[in-house]
Amino acid sequence: METNFNDKLEQQCRELQKKIDEEIEQQCRAFREEFDEKLRQQRREMQEEFDEKLRQQRQEMKEKIDEKVKQIDAKIKAMRTNVYGQMTGGRRIFETRSTSCR
């Protein structure tokens, strides 16, 4: 009779341990899913923030480059005007040609 009682007790312990293991596994799975979702959300937010900062930096760099290009174009135009003026002696080419053709 004692053996039968011990067998029943062992069986109940195994069943209880199995239920405990299943409950732990379920809670771990739920925690993992929740953690993974929070991690994905955080990654999305960080990526969006990074993309926005990158867009802003690109726009700022584009504006700076455009400004530099305008400055360089103005310098080139000024240099051309200066060289043109030196070549023509400060007169217009048409005036020089019409004077020399007479």
Side-chain angles (χ1 to χ4, degrees):
M1 196 176 222
E2 193 174 309
T3 320
N4 195 15
F5 178 76
N6 285 341
D7 288 346
K8 285 183 180 181
L9 192 57
E10 277 187 42
Q11 180 64 30
Q12 288 176 346
C13 282
R14 281 192 296 269
E15 289 174 4
L16 187 56
Q17 185 63 47
K18 185 178 178 182
K19 286 181 182 180
I20 290 171
D21 290 346
E22 288 173 355
E23 181 66 26
I24 289 172
E25 188 177 326
Q26 181 191 8
Q27 288 181 3
C28 285
R29 206 173 315 119
F31 174 77
R32 219 176 296 126
E33 289 172 3
E34 182 181 343
F35 178 79
D36 288 346
E37 180 56 36
K38 285 180 181 179
L39 187 60
R40 280 191 293 273
Q41 179 64 29
Q42 188 177 19
R43 283 182 181 157
R44 276 192 299 269
E45 290 170 0
M46 290 174 71
Q47 186 65 45
E48 289 170 3
E49 186 178 317
F50 174 79
D51 290 346
E52 181 59 31
K53 286 181 180 178
L54 188 60
R55 275 192 289 278
Q56 288 175 351
Q57 287 177 346
R58 284 181 178 163
Q59 182 62 32
E60 290 171 3
M61 288 303 292
K62 184 183 179 303
E63 290 170 2
K64 287 179 182 179
I65 289 170
D66 288 348
E67 185 59 34
K68 287 286 185 186
V69 168
K70 286 179 185 177
Q71 291 173 0
I72 291 170
D73 283 346
K75 287 180 182 178
I76 290 172
K77 185 176 179 182
M79 290 170 65
R80 284 182 180 160
T81 303
N82 188 26
V83 169
Y84 178 77
Q86 290 175 358
M87 286 175 35
T88 60
R91 295 176 295 209
R92 294 189 177 165
I93 291 177
F94 298 114
E95 292 175 3
T96 307
R97 284 187 184 159
S98 64
T99 314
S100 62
C101 291
R102 286 185 186 168

